[in-house]
Structure formats: structure tokens, C-alpha cells
Amino acid sequence: MKKILIVEDEEELASNIAEILTGLEYQVAAIVDNAYSALEYLEGNLVDLVLMDILIKGDVDGIDLAYKIREKYDLPIVFSTAYSGTEFLERISSDIHEGYLLKPFTLDSLKAAVFFGLKRHSERPARPEKSRGSLKVMDKGFLVPIPFNEILYLKADGLYTKVFTKVKSYLVRDILKGFEDKLPEEQFIRVHKSFLVNVNHVSSFNAKKINLGEVSLPIRRGLYKELIEKLQVE
């Protein structure tokens, strides 16, 4: 029987979810309402899936909690959220989760989200070893591990550096140069005095700019040939 950890700060909803999952022949491992309790539980217990609200109690939300869980455990995560706007859904569009469930949900939608969450995780190919590391940053007084593969690019901002991921951005008190030694050189390249990018997210480039999906960044003069070699473009 698959064990599911529920991370939900609405007590009545959490109880309803637990009742439904039990009826679907899953075992509810525990119900917690904040990141610390979730991590503490995972430290000493095995589960098969985490069903997690994004807006939970405490300063660490469900998205940052997902990063922390991914750093230590190979577990499928299914988000639940009451927000259905395109901008919000794009914030959680990354491989830190196996699916999301829009509130209010039905028994069938919950059943499908959990089933496919477990299925996608079991079918997911192993990640390359170089992508398994993470960059540790301080955010609102908390240490957050950001998997290398989640980072799109870093931008210099005076004495600070902004770290951009598909999900959100972090402002870190350290100059951009300080990050070059912390990131794998085969995966990151300084394309400009103000930008360090993850080559795995490059969608296109020319002699003047480089594109990472919808984001366009300038590149320094003479980098075009180096980029071709770095990206192994024929």
C-alpha cells in the first residue's frame, strides 16, 4: 500500500483528503501543515508521495519545501492549489513536481493526480549526475538548496546577485564572481559581465544575444564561437 504525506494547512480539507485517499486504498502516512514538520517527518519515515499545498504555514512555502525535499529524497510531489491563473501555474511548471491539483477538486481528480504522480515518477529517467548538486542560498533567513538543473541564469546586481529559476528568483548578498566556483563549469558559462547562464536551458543564440525560453540576455563580444563549442553545436 502506497504511503502519502499530506502537507496542508486547512485542517478540515486535510481530513477530507485523508479520508478520500484511505478509501482509494492509499495509506496516509501523516498530515502536517508546515515545512519544518514535513522535513522532520521525512527524516525518520518512508513515504511514496507528497501531496502538498503551495501556501502552507510558516516562512517556507510549498515551492521552497519542494526544493528541499528534492535535495534529499527521490520522491514524487503533487502540488495542490486554489490558484488557476496562467502566471501562477507557470511558476510551478518545473521538474520539482509530478503534477498539480486545482482546488476545489473532485474524488476523481484527486485519484488521477495521485495515480499519475506515482506513475510519472516511476517512469522518469535518472537525472545526470552533474545535475544532482545544488546551490545553497539564504532566502528570508532560511537556507534553500536550489538544484543546479533548476537554475536558468544569475544576474549581477551591485553587491548582490539575483538567481533565477523557472519557479521564482532569489536575491543573494554575494557578487556574481563568487558563484562561478560554486557552479559546475561544464553546465554554466559567463556570457556577459552581468550574466551567468545554465547552458542546459539555452534555446537559441546569435552573436549578440542568447535566449533561454522567453528570456533574452546580451552576450559579450567574441563569445559566439565559445558558445558553439560549449553547446557542441555542429
Side-chain angles (χ1 to χ4, degrees), residues 78 100-102 104-116:
V78 173
Y100 59 85
L101 183 64
L102 290 176
F105 52 80
T106 64
L107 184 152
D108 286 339
S109 61
L110 174 59
K111 178 180 179 180
V114 172
F115 174 82
F116 285 112

Side-chain angles (χ1 to χ4, degrees), residues 4 8 14 28 34 45 108 116-117 120 141 156 181 195 202 213 215 233:
I4 298 176
E8 170 63 61
V28 176
N34 64 85
N45 300 274
D108 286 339
F116 285 112
R120 290 187 187 110
D181 293 334
F195 297 101
V202 174
V215 178
V233 177

